[in-house]
Amino acid sequence: MANKETPEASEQSASEGIPAPEGAANLIDTDYVIGQDNIATSRFGVPVDLHSVVFTVSSLVILLFVVITLALQDQVAPVFTGTFDYLTGNLSWVFLLGGNVFVLVALGLVLSPLGKVRIGGAKATPDFSYAGWFAMLFAAGMGIGLMFYGVGEPLSHFGTAMSGSDAAPLGGAEGNAEASATLAMASTIYHWGLHPWGAYAIVGLSLAIFAFNKGLPLTMRSIFYPILGERIWGWPGHIIDTLAVFATLFGLATSLGLGATQASTGLNYLFDIPNTDTTMVVLILGITAVALGSVMAGVDKGVQRLSQLNMALAFLLLVFVIAVGPTLAIATGFFSNLGAYAKNLPALANPFGREDSAFVQSWTAFYWAWWISWSPFVGMFIARVSRGRSVREFLIAVLLVPMLVSVLWMTAFGGTAIDQIVTQGISTVQDAELDLQLFAMLGELPLSAITSFVGIVLVIVFFVTSSDSGSLVIDSITAGGKVDAPKPQRMFWAIIEGGIAIALLLGGGLSALQAASVSTGLPFTVVLLFGCYGLIKALMSEPRTV
């Protein structure tokens, strides 16, 4: 790997669409020019600039998948279920082991001298304020999932722990409500804490360093330059980027499908709109149309503004639940739940010899596959908005800020639901279906019609944010790493995301969504494990700021 030192940004020409480093950096000396393998043309007034192999292969395979799934809905549903059961039943240890590695590498970098490296060069300054940056980090990474599982997951773990069933985390605490609640919250935080953000952080930091410090394209293949060298421009790189497109699309489709399911349920709950496949399809089509407008506005105007709107609405709903719910229990529960998480983390993260295999397979393996399949999307997005941050600043923010917000959210929403059952003796929320439990919990609080409507709006806005952020990311990968490719390409991918979500919902519902995430998350787990080496190798060659 040949490198050359760059004392000042002005002395270097920027790669197309990617700003040159500011101050000292260690560019990789390669003859490859971003976009040289692209097809750049304009037909019927529509400009395109596409990587000839990655775009062609990924788009054709995805379109074929959508057509077959929609045409053979009854036949493909058992295939999805069988795929999910096989992969989680036999290979769950791969996901758990990979997740542990990502967290340990990220924490190790925070504590090491490599944390002093600055993304974008030694004199780079941040492109966004802390408020805007935090909002985009959180909204891109967790939105719809927190709305869908914020009440349902703690309640599910609480129920299985109380009953001592095979699906109980760590064997449960049969008949002990207090211990079951503690275990339920610890298990939930485990799924929304350090591990998902560990995967996002590794991918995001890797992409940022190789693009903004090394001058390589903003695509997954760039991470593997220390391993593959110039071969990343050939078929090995094409395969890595194509896998990244598949993982991103199916990870997004899982979230969009969950969002459509919950929004449809909420509309039925509030306005008695039929909760049918037709309603969900119409929702996906309508929200995709809104996402197209946001995509056209770009990151600064579209994505950032929607992210900030998300944060404002989510904050208002969170404050309301804390204020009118069991306020003292939520306040004390935040710290006690963090303690329970820390205490149970080694046992929950153990990939081998688990007696609670049903819990691992149905919950943890799915989550880890989902997070890892999301990592190219979230990682590339946070890389694009994190230029100017130090490695240590980046990792602390990406690991801790969203995690603490997630803990508070789960404690407030899940804790309120559990309190309604244990303290108040209200069974409404426990008897509701998973996608209705949020609204059932809010229904027992004041102003339920208003808060439930806000909940639906949040799901929809998170839906739009995920869709337009994902479109920007996938477009960059399929444009050979360009970050300023023609906007019609982003529109194409936003439409494709909606099409996959519709196909999966009609072709098997939740089981199809889960199977899609697991299937694409598995090979990408292996890809990211090798990527950790490339990241450390790259950081070791970078100058460090004081």
Side-chain angles (χ1 to χ4, degrees):
M1 181 169 65
N3 300 295
K4 54 187 178 184
E5 200 72 25
T6 61
E8 296 294 339
S10 59
E11 297 180 11
Q12 295 297 331
S13 60
S15 299
E16 188 167 355
I18 297 177
E22 297 178 39
N26 211 13
L27 285 171
I28 290 176
D29 189 8
T30 176
D31 293 330
Y32 186 84
V33 178
I34 295 178
Q36 73 176 41
D37 294 326
N38 284 18
I39 299 172
T41 185
S42 180
R43 294 289 179 88
F44 308 107
V46 179
V48 294
D49 193 349
L50 305 163
H51 192 280
S52 56
V53 177
V54 176
F55 177 85
T56 303
V57 173
S58 57
S59 60
L60 288 178
V61 172
I62 292 296
L63 288 171
L64 183 63
F65 170 85
V66 171
V67 171
I68 291 176
T69 303
L70 291 175
L72 304 172
Q73 295 175 27
D74 295 336
Q75 289 83 357
V76 298
V79 175
F80 287 132
T81 303
T83 300
F84 178 79
D85 291 342
Y86 176 80
L87 292 178
T88 56
N90 295 278
L91 297 172
S92 58
W93 64 271
V94 176
F95 294 114
L96 268 70
L97 187 62
N100 293 341
V101 171
F102 303 145
V103 171
L104 291 174
V105 170
L107 292 176
L109 290 175
V110 169
L111 299 174
S112 78
L114 298 178
K116 295 180 179 179
V117 173
R118 185 166 296 278
I119 298 169
K123 295 183 180 180
T125 56
D127 295 328
F128 299 96
S129 67
Y130 275 114
W133 187 44
F134 289 158
M136 287 188 282
L137 291 181
F138 184 76
M142 289 297 179
I144 290 175
L146 283 180
M147 297 299 297
F148 192 87
Y149 288 109
V151 173
E153 185 178 354
L155 276 188
S156 177
H157 297 331
F158 174 73
T160 55
M162 277 287 287
S163 65
S165 73
D166 293 340
L170 303 179
E174 187 173 358
N176 187 331
E178 183 178 354
S180 294
T182 299
L183 190 56
M185 293 308 303
S187 303
T188 300
I189 293 170
Y190 168 58
H191 290 149
W192 296 84
L194 289 174
H195 282 73
W197 289 98
Y200 298 161
I202 292 298
V203 176
L205 182 59
S206 300
L207 289 167
I209 291 297
F210 278 96
F212 299 129
N213 293 62
K214 302 297 185 184
L216 297 185
L218 191 64
T219 64
M220 289 302 301
R221 72 174 73 203
S222 296
I223 299 173
F224 290 82
Y225 195 95
I227 300 173
L228 299 173
E230 292 293 313
R231 285 175 294 171
I232 66 169
W233 313 124
W235 273 102
H238 300 339
I239 293 171
I240 291 168
D241 277 351
T242 303
L243 281 174
V245 172
F246 291 157
T248 304
L249 280 171
F250 284 107
L252 275 168
T254 300
S255 296
L256 302 186
L258 293 177
T261 301
Q262 189 172 35
S264 177
T265 301
L267 291 171
N268 175 260
Y269 177 78
L270 279 183
F271 306 113
D272 205 29
I273 295 174
N275 185 15
T276 62
D277 287 345
T278 301
T279 301
M280 286 186 280
V281 170
V282 171
L283 274 170
I284 293 174
L285 291 175
I287 295 170
T288 299
V290 176
L292 289 174
S294 180
V295 164
M296 296 303 291
V299 174
D300 292 335
K301 296 180 180 178
V303 178
Q304 184 177 203
R305 289 175 182 175
L306 279 175
S307 298
Q308 291 171 338
L309 173 62
N310 274 7
M311 289 295 289
L313 287 175
F315 177 76
L316 288 175
L317 186 60
L318 177 62
V319 169
F320 175 82
V321 172
I322 294 173
V324 304
T327 307
L328 182 60
I330 293 171
T332 57
F334 175 80
F335 297 101
S336 62
N337 290 339
L338 274 175
Y341 166 58
K343 177 182 177 182
N344 290 284
L345 182 58
L348 289 167
N350 174 29
F352 306 111
R354 296 284 290 268
E355 295 182 0
D356 56 346
S357 57
F359 165 78
V360 173
Q361 293 166 18
S362 59
W363 285 98
T364 307
F366 160 63
Y367 268 131
W368 270 215
W370 189 15
W371 302 147
I372 290 168
S373 66
W374 258 57
S375 64
F377 151 54
V378 180
M380 192 172 295
F381 182 72
I382 62 177
R384 290 184 63 172
V385 300
S386 299
R387 186 175 174 273
R389 307 289 178 185
S390 72
V391 167
R392 183 171 291 119
E393 182 182 18
F394 174 94
L395 289 172
I396 290 174
V398 172
L399 284 175
L400 295 185
V401 173
M403 186 197 82
L404 292 176
V405 175
S406 297
V407 172
L408 181 58
W409 185 279
M410 292 297 185
T411 298
F413 284 74
T416 298
I418 292 174
D419 180 79
Q420 289 176 353
I421 297 168
V422 176
T423 304
Q424 303 176 44
I426 300 172
S427 62
T428 308
V429 63
Q430 193 171 31
D431 297 336
E433 295 293 328
L434 180 63
D435 49 9
L436 185 59
Q437 287 180 328
L438 169 65
F439 305 107
M441 183 275 288
L442 293 174
E444 299 299 329
L445 301 177
L447 305 176
S448 60
I450 296 175
T451 55
S452 295
F453 181 73
V454 171
I456 295 172
V457 172
L458 266 173
V459 170
I460 291 173
V461 179
F462 274 130
F463 194 143
V464 174
T465 305
S466 298
S467 180
D468 60 17
S469 303
S471 301
L472 290 168
V473 167
I474 297 169
D475 181 41
S476 179
I477 300 174
T478 56
K482 289 189 175 183
V483 296
D484 56 355
K487 290 184 178 180
Q489 297 171 199
R490 304 177 194 172
M491 298 176 66
F492 171 81
W493 287 115
I495 294 169
I496 289 296
E497 289 161 18
I500 294 174
I502 291 172
L504 290 172
L505 279 174
L506 298 180
L510 181 59
S511 62
L513 297 170
Q514 292 176 324
S517 281
V518 171
S519 300
T520 53
L522 181 65
F524 217 76
T525 302
V526 179
V527 169
L528 293 188
L529 288 172
F530 283 101
C532 289
Y533 170 80
L535 170 62
I536 295 171
K537 188 81 171 177
L539 288 173
M540 290 177 67
S541 68
E542 282 295 303
R544 300 162 197 172
T545 58
V546 178

